[in-house]
C-alpha cells in the first residue's frame, strides 16, 4: 500500500503494524511530485508529506525490512 510515512505513528494501528506480517517498508528518498492537471505550465511542486510503500505478507516472520528507494533517475 502507498501510504504516508506517518502511518507508522499511530497507537491504534499497533495490531497491524506489530503483528509480524509487515514484511517491508520502502521509504522514498525524495518527496513524491504532486499531480497536476493536463496542460499545466506552472511550477511543479513536491508534496509536503513523506510517503512509503508498505508490504504485508501473511507468511512473513521476523522483523520488518526497511529500504530507501528513489522514484527518479539519480
Amino acid at each position: 500500500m502507498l501510504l504516508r510515512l506517518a502511518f507508522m505513528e499511530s497507537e491504534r494501528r499497533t495490531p497491524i503494524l506489530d503483528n509480524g506480517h509487515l514484511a517491508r517498508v520502502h521509504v522514498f528518498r525524495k518527496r513524491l511530485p504532486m499531480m497536476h492537471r493536463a496542460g499545466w505550465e506552472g511550477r511543479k511542486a513536491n508534496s509536503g508529506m513523506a510517503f512509503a510503500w508498505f508490504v504485508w505478507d501473511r507468511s512473513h516472520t521476523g522483523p520488518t525490512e526497511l529500504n530507501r528507494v528513489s522514484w527518479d533517475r539519480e
Side-chain angles (χ1 to χ4, degrees):
M1 298 175 79
L2 180 63
L3 301 166
R4 289 179 39 221
L5 188 55
F7 184 82
M8 298 192 72
E9 297 176 348
S10 173
E11 283 292 322
R12 286 186 11 209
R13 296 186 188 110
T14 295
I16 63 172
L17 293 172
D18 294 345
N19 67 2
H21 298 301
L22 180 57
R24 291 174 298 285
V25 178
H26 303 286
V27 180
F28 289 99
R29 292 179 187 153
K30 294 181 179 179
R31 301 291 167 96
L32 297 178
M34 297 298 288
M35 301 293 287
H36 296 281
R37 66 183 174 272
W40 174 256
E41 305 254 343
R43 185 173 161 259
K44 303 286 193 267
N46 286 339
S47 171
M49 296 178 280
F51 283 89
W53 282 110
F54 289 73
V55 181
W56 280 269
D57 182 348
R58 289 183 182 156
S59 64
H60 175 78
T61 57
T64 302
E65 181 182 318
L66 179 66
N67 299 301
R68 294 181 65 223
V69 297
S70 182
W71 56 265
D72 67 350
R73 296 178 193 148
E74 292 185 52

